[in-house]
């Protein structure tokens, strides 16, 4: 009896421990900020014309980025849904997943190599005698970068919904002789109304808190967002009051946007894991086939060329000289260590939250909702405000350089948690739904249940969660830009410094190394922890 009660409380204890850690990190950080900033005047900040401009530009660039990402992603989704079989289709899906895993500063380097003043695009136009002198920096560069990251994400999230349209719908559409326009109005538009608001709000939220893209491609005060303004206030002006005020303003807007996302979220009536094997009636026409292939090819080129440029420029760079550089070697070691620790912390938090969210009789839905809200706070809270608050919180205890590394690890874990949790929580819920009754009948609980039942099913999503957190932390620049100092350079910070100093041959090699290392570590962790899926 004692063993049973203890087993039933283990998920709750895991969730409670995760909640305490999250509240300690986020809540403690903001309490420290509020205590440290005695002269906060929200009214003065709101009335500041520069701040109003920053807020307006932040919302404007996020809205435009969302409109472009969704507007360009939907035709790609429709084209892929109408062409379920062609050579390279699976490879294309992997390609669309790469921008999410690519470190932001590395992707920016690739975009500069393509669209910069001396980039491939301008050089190609020069050869054709139609030079346009396209400037990447400013709003145009921000939009291109955000579309590069978010358009593939829209495709990845939306395509399974299109593929899960029941076969009966396509048979009925064929019997009624429906053309492409009618299919869009009757079948696809209702589907988009159900799914697109949530996806669009997610894209808007990600663009709203974007930091590295705006820092690298903003090009000046006219293209500054709230995140960059917080960074400037804290890092250069050390105006804690303004930084805290901006952070609170950013938090209020972000929380409102997230609340809207939750309100717009809808349960999907379709089953995304099932793919219809019936051909769509609008897939046979030659014109439609040609247009679909053109749309798919343009999207693939848009995503692939910056990644290819990174690798090619890196191979052509001074590899031998830079590989022997101690800064690169130590930067690599620091990046791997930070990413490994952040990945483990994120994995523990995600597992604790997911296991406590198992649907069992008597489990309060409010508890699960509280855990979910706490876990996604990394999408709402400004990373820079969080990092400053953490530094103030822990500085009175130990003022040593290794504290900065700990704060970088904590920030990366919190920021990766919403994405890691999304990878893991559904698998935990499915396993609980399938096995709870059987385990109860067999008396399996605790370690024995985890070893025999849960681990074989959960190791693959857990591996994905760890790999994703590792990848995001390996390429993070936000936290290390705030806490970094001489002798603490990670690979992203080293790349940013090389780009800022116009040491482009060295930057070529660093970017290529970071990109290859990122994908190699992701694959190794996912395969090493995940192993082979068992059904």
């Amino acid at each position: 009896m004692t063993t049973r009660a203890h087993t039933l409380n283990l998920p709750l204890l895991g969730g409670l421990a995760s909640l305490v850690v999250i509240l300690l990190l986020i809540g403690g950080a903001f309490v420290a900020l509020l205590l440290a900033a005695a002269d906060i005047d929200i009214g003065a900040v709101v009335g500041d014309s520069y701040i109003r401009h920053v807020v307006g530009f932040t919302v404007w660039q996020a809205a435009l980025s969302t409109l472009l990402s969704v507007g360009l992603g939907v035709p790609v989704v429709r084209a892929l849904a109408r062409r379920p079989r062609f050579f390279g289709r699976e490879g294309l899906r992997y390609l669309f997943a790469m921008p999410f895993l690519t470190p932001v500063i590395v992707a920016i380097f690739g975009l500069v190599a393509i669209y910069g003043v001396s980039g491939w695009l301008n050089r190609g136009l020069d050869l054709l005698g139609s030079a346009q002198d396209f400037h990447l920096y400013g709003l145009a560069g921000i939009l291109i970068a955000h579309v590069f990251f978010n358009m593939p994400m829209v495709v990845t999230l939306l395509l399974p919904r299109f593929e899960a349209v029941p076969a009966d719908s396509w048979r009925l559409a064929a019997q009624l002789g429906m053309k492409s326009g009618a299919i869009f109005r009757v079948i696809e538009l209702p589907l988009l109304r159900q799914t697109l608001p949530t996806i669009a709000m997610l894209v808007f939220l990600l663009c709203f808190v974007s930091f590295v893209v705006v820092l690298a491609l903003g090009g000046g005060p006219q293209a500054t967002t709230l995140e960059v303004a917080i960074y400037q206030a804290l890092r250069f002006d050390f105006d804690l009051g303004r930084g805290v005020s901006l952070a609170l303003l950013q938090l209020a807007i972000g929380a409102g946007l997230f609340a809207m996302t939750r309100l717009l979220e809808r349960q999907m009536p379709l089953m995304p894991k099932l793919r219809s094997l019936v051909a769509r009636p609008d897939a046979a026409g030659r014109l439609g086939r040609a247009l679909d292939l053109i749309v798919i090819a343009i999207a693939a080129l848009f995503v692939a060329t910056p990644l290819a440029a990174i690798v090619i420029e890196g191979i052509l760079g001074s590899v031998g000289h830079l590989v022997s550089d101690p800064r690169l070697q130590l930067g690599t070691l620091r990046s791997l260590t930070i990413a490994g620790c952040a990945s483990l912390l994120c994995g523990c938090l995600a597992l604790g939250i997911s296991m406590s969210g198992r649907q069992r009789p008597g489990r309060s839905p409010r508890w699960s909702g509280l855990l979910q809200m706490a876990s996604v706070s990394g999408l709402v809270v400004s990373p820079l405000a969080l990092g400053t608050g953490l530094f103030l919180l822990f500085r009175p205890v130990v003022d040593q350089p290794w504290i900065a590394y700990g704060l970088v690890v904590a920030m990366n874990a919190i920021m990766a948690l919403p994405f890691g949790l999304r990878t893991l929580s559904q698998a935990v819920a499915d396993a609980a739904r399938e096995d709870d009754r059987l385990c109860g009948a067999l008396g399996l609980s605790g370690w024995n249940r985890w070893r025999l039942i849960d681990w074989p099913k959960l190791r693959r999503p857990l591996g994905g969660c760890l790999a994703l957190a590792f990848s995001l932390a390996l390429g993070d620049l936000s936290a290390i830009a705030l806490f970094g100092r001489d002798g603490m350079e990670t690979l992203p910070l080293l790349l940013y410094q090389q780009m800022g100093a116009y040491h482009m041959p060295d930057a070529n090699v660093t970017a290529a190394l970071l990109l290859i290392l990122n994908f190699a570590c992701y694959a190794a962790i996912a395969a090493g922890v995940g192993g082979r899926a068992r059904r």
Side-chain angles (χ1 to χ4, degrees):
M1 184 70 180
T2 302
T3 302
R4 178 177 176 79
H6 174 70
T7 302
L8 289 177
N9 284 332
L10 279 180
L12 181 64
L13 292 176
L16 184 61
S18 299
L19 184 62
V20 168
V21 172
I22 294 170
L23 290 179
L24 179 64
L25 292 173
I26 296 180
F30 268 87
V31 169
L33 282 172
L34 292 173
L35 292 177
D39 300 326
I40 296 178
D41 187 352
I42 295 293
V45 172
V46 174
D48 190 320
S49 59
Y50 173 71
I51 298 302
R52 289 204 303 272
H53 167 76
V54 169
V55 174
F57 181 79
T58 305
V59 175
W60 176 241
Q61 62 83 24
L64 284 179
S65 300
T66 304
L67 184 63
L68 289 172
S69 300
V70 174
L72 295 174
V74 169
V76 179
V77 170
R78 201 160 182 255
L80 287 172
R82 293 204 297 186
R83 310 295 156 195
R85 298 179 189 85
F86 62 85
F87 178 77
R89 191 177 191 277
E90 288 304 312
L92 197 62
R93 300 185 72 151
Y94 286 115
L95 175 66
F96 283 165
M98 285 184 178
F100 188 74
L101 298 177
T102 302
V104 178
I105 187 65
V106 174
I108 290 171
F109 185 82
L111 292 171
V112 171
I114 298 297
Y115 303 104
V117 175
S118 302
W120 292 9
L121 179 62
N122 278 328
R123 280 186 280 176
L125 293 174
D126 281 340
L127 292 175
L128 297 175
S130 58
Q132 299 295 319
D133 198 20
F134 175 74
H135 292 282
L136 182 64
Y137 297 95
L139 180 60
I142 294 172
L143 295 180
I144 290 175
H146 282 164
V147 172
F148 173 80
F149 285 109
N150 295 308
M151 185 272 286
M153 186 179 73
V154 171
V155 174
T156 303
L157 293 176
L158 201 54
L159 184 58
R161 311 298 184 186
F162 272 61
E163 291 177 337
V165 173
D168 290 344
S169 298
W170 300 127
R171 292 193 187 97
L172 183 60
Q175 291 172 359
L176 295 175
M178 295 173 66
K179 303 298 183 185
S180 179
I183 288 175
F184 180 77
R185 288 194 307 273
V186 176
I187 297 178
E188 294 175 330
L189 192 56
L191 190 61
L192 289 174
R193 285 174 179 163
Q194 288 180 326
T195 57
L196 216 50
T198 303
I199 295 174
M201 285 304 299
L202 176 62
V203 174
F204 185 91
L205 196 57
L206 292 175
C207 296
F208 184 81
V209 299
S210 176
F211 170 66
V212 178
V213 167
V214 182
L215 181 68
L217 298 176
Q222 293 302 315
T224 297
T225 60
L226 270 172
E227 284 286 285
V228 177
I230 294 170
Y231 173 71
Q232 291 169 342
L234 297 177
R235 181 71 178 183
F236 296 110
D237 304 333
F238 207 71
D239 187 343
L240 204 55
R242 166 169 281 211
V244 172
S245 301
L246 290 170
L248 292 174
L249 185 61
Q250 191 270 356
L251 177 63
I253 298 174
L257 293 173
F258 180 75
M260 289 177 61
T261 305
R262 299 289 292 184
L263 289 175
L264 292 171
E265 196 170 12
R266 296 285 186 272
Q267 294 295 325
M268 302 307 301
L270 303 175
M271 298 178 65
K273 292 182 178 179
L274 299 179
R275 180 189 293 187
S276 172
L277 299 177
V278 176
R280 294 172 49 135
D282 60 342
R286 291 183 178 179
L287 179 60
R289 184 183 296 111
L291 290 175
D292 288 345
L293 292 179
I294 290 173
V295 169
I296 293 170
I298 291 175
L301 283 174
F302 177 72
V303 176
T305 47
L307 300 175
I310 296 166
V311 177
I312 293 173
E313 298 282 354
I315 293 174
L316 298 177
S318 53
V319 179
H321 166 72
L322 197 59
V323 166
S324 61
D325 186 349
R327 293 183 68 201
L328 187 71
Q329 296 170 356
L330 291 175
T332 303
L333 182 60
R334 292 190 195 100
S335 295
L336 292 174
T337 304
I338 290 172
C341 295
S343 173
L344 287 176
L345 180 57
C346 178
C348 291
L349 294 175
L351 190 61
I353 292 171
S354 300
M355 297 295 282
S356 69
R358 285 181 168 179
Q359 296 301 314
R360 292 180 176 179
R363 174 62 49 83
S364 170
R366 293 182 180 178
W367 169 249
S368 298
L370 179 62
L371 286 172
Q372 294 290 334
M373 286 293 294
S375 63
V376 299
S377 55
L379 285 175
V380 179
V381 179
S382 163
L384 298 173
L386 173 63
T388 305
L390 289 174
F391 184 80
L392 293 173
L393 186 66
F394 287 94
R395 187 175 58 175
V397 182
V398 181
D399 189 13
Q400 296 293 330
W402 61 268
I403 286 291
Y405 286 118
L407 297 178
V408 172
V409 168
M411 281 185 61
N412 279 295
I414 291 295
M415 295 303 142
L417 183 58
F419 305 103
L421 191 62
R422 187 178 182 86
T423 305
L424 188 59
S425 60
Q426 188 58 49
V428 171
D430 290 344
R433 187 170 54 251
E434 294 171 1
D435 302 326
D436 270 2
R437 184 171 298 177
L438 178 61
C439 290
L442 297 176
L444 271 177
S445 59
W447 170 249
N448 286 332
R449 170 172 173 163
W450 170 258
R451 180 173 59 89
L452 298 174
I453 304 297
D454 290 334
W455 170 247
K457 288 189 173 181
L458 298 181
R459 61 180 298 183
R460 194 174 189 188
L462 182 59
C465 171
L466 294 173
L468 183 61
F470 187 96
S471 179
L472 294 177
L474 186 66
D476 175 73
L477 179 62
S478 303
I480 198 65
L482 187 62
F483 295 111
R485 62 192 73 167
D486 291 340
M488 286 184 59
E489 292 91 353
T490 60
L491 281 180
L493 184 58
L494 181 61
L495 175 60
Y496 181 70
Q497 292 173 346
Q498 290 168 340
M499 291 175 66
Y502 297 102
H503 293 165
M504 300 315 289
D506 293 347
N508 289 335
V509 179
T510 305
L513 174 64
L514 185 52
L515 182 68
I516 295 171
L517 198 61
N518 195 36
F519 289 142
C521 290
Y522 180 89
I525 294 173
V529 178
R532 298 181 61 185
R534 292 177 58 181
R535 300 290 181 186

